[in-house]
Amino acid sequence: MNDISDAVVLSCYLYFLGLEREAITLLESFLYFRYEDKPESQRHLWVENCQGILLLQFIEQSSGCGNGMLSLGEALGPEAVVSPSKFMKQQIKMFLSDNAKIVAQAERETQKYRCQTYAQQILRCIEFLMLWPDFAEENSVRIGFKRVTRAQIYEILNDLKSRLVAALAAANKAKQAGTP
């Protein structure tokens, strides 16, 4: 992970701990809202920056916080917000089939790794929800022989949120007790 990725994950923690304003403030402090504005030497970090933009948009839509001035089309380019392509459908299909395995693996890891894993999975859910207008319009997307609903993605997101909050609380408790 890099500094931008770490900051996006921290913002995810803050938001799901109920600190919406702090998450927004942190995200707004380092995000570039247009690729062209990002220094040439940091353009290789655009994916992490985009995760932050999507998280910021999600927080603003979900909580009503923020200035609401962010446009995904302007920030990511209109081609980013599209109907699910074959590639995106493959991404969500892999996510749905791998999420349970990833979560099970994280349960056997350190608190830090567990929290990071949950946050990364949450960011994937947010990516799917924010970039697929079909979810908003049709409430589901056909992937192979299945229909994947917006509610299914939110169900996974809420499970991950519960796991993340519990893992963060356990890590804080361990820290206060002086155990690693």
Side-chain angles (χ1 to χ4, degrees):
M1 291 185 39
N2 57 58
D3 291 344
I4 292 176
S5 185
D6 289 344
V8 171
V9 167
L10 175 58
S11 299
C12 188
Y13 295 168
L14 291 171
Y15 173 66
F16 286 107
L17 288 172
L19 302 169
E20 293 91 358
R21 174 68 17 226
E22 291 82 351
I24 289 171
T25 300
L26 177 59
L27 288 164
E28 288 177 341
S29 74
F30 70 87
L31 289 176
Y32 287 88
F33 295 102
R34 291 178 353 132
Y35 181 76
E36 298 80 29
D37 294 340
K38 195 150 183 69
E40 188 84 30
S41 63
Q42 294 181 354
R43 288 191 178 168
H44 66 285
L45 301 173
W46 187 245
V47 171
E48 291 86 349
N49 192 84
C50 289
Q51 280 188 321
I53 291 171
L54 293 171
L55 177 59
L56 179 59
Q57 182 74 22
F58 180 81
I59 292 169
E60 288 183 348
Q61 284 183 4
S62 300
S63 66
C65 291
N67 58 23
M69 294 180 61
L70 178 63
S71 160
L72 288 179
E74 290 174 18
L76 306 179
E79 64 279 355
V81 186
V82 296
S83 295
S85 65
K86 186 176 181 179
F87 174 74
M88 288 293 282
K89 287 182 178 184
Q90 289 173 326
Q91 292 294 307
I92 197 166
K93 185 177 181 181
M94 286 188 326
F95 173 81
L96 292 172
S97 68
D98 294 345
N99 183 60
K101 291 179 264 186
I102 291 169
V103 167
Q105 175 63 35
E107 293 291 326
R108 296 187 294 272
E109 298 292 339
T110 65
Q111 291 289 354
K112 179 180 177 182
Y113 179 80
R114 188 176 308 158
C115 291
Q116 289 174 339
T117 300
Y118 295 154
Q120 286 300 327
Q121 292 297 96
I122 286 169
L123 291 168
R124 290 294 294 182
C125 288
I126 290 171
E127 175 187 337
F128 298 137
L129 292 168
M130 300 306 295
L131 290 181
W132 285 14
D134 289 17
F135 270 145
E137 295 166 11
E138 299 174 22
N139 208 30
S140 69
V141 175
R142 180 169 295 286
I143 299 178
F145 296 108
K146 293 183 177 180
R147 291 205 69 77
V148 177
T149 66
R150 189 172 183 81
Q152 284 174 289
I153 301 298
Y154 270 110
E155 186 178 312
I156 293 169
L157 179 71
N158 288 330
D159 174 62
L160 290 164
K161 173 191 171 188
S162 297
R163 290 173 185 274
L164 175 61
V165 169
L168 289 168
N172 188 42
K173 187 176 180 181
K175 181 181 177 185
Q176 289 177 347
T179 57

